[in-house]
Amino acid sequence: DAGLRASDVDVVFADAAGVPEDDDAEARALRSVFGARAVPVTAPKTLTGRLYGGGAALDVATAALALHYGVVPPMTGTTKPAPEYGLDLVLRRPRETRPRTALVLARGYGGFTAALVLRRPREE
């Protein structure tokens, strides 16, 4: 719906439910769309917990800050990611990538699923 190609996305803010079946499904979907290790993936909620209804809003705010400052925040609690996920997880330290476009994913109970694309404003 955003009119972008997968290659236009510079960073993904994953839902990262912390439930093995859900995380596996999300990883498979990301690999299917972007390819293996093709785009940095982070999950800010690893720093705060799920926050239920507030988690998606926090991810959107964090994505906006990442676009503004050019730095993708790292995930915590993951020291050895599952290689079969095939994701380029941002771990241990922030990554300076100057992202222009971020994809924020959110899922919730009862089948709620959403994806939001944010873009850094074009410099005049």
Side-chain angles (χ1 to χ4, degrees):
D1 290 346
L4 300 173
R5 297 179 309 273
S7 61
D8 295 328
V9 175
D10 299 311
V11 61
V12 173
F13 286 75
D15 179 64
V19 176
E21 302 83 36
D22 293 349
D23 290 348
D24 182 60
E26 185 173 34
R28 281 185 283 118
L30 291 173
R31 270 195 329 273
S32 172
V33 171
F34 297 103
R37 294 177 180 77
V39 62
V41 176
T42 190
K45 65 184 61 71
T46 61
L47 299 164
T48 62
R50 292 269 326 147
L51 301 179
Y52 297 98
L58 179 63
D59 285 352
V60 169
T62 305
L65 289 168
L67 294 175
H68 179 77
Y69 289 105
V71 177
V72 178
M75 299 170 55
T76 63
T78 302
T79 56
K80 187 176 179 188
E84 64 271 16
Y85 281 4
L87 300 177
D88 177 14
L89 298 177
V90 180
L91 301 173
R92 292 181 273 296
R93 67 185 69 77
R95 190 180 299 177
E96 294 186 32
T97 65
R98 301 287 305 151
R100 298 172 315 275
T101 305
L103 171 64
V104 180
L105 303 174
R107 293 177 292 175
Y109 296 108
F112 163 82
T113 304
L116 176 70
V117 174
L118 293 108
R119 294 199 80 171
R120 186 173 58 211
R122 291 189 178 142
E123 297 177 11
E124 299 293 326

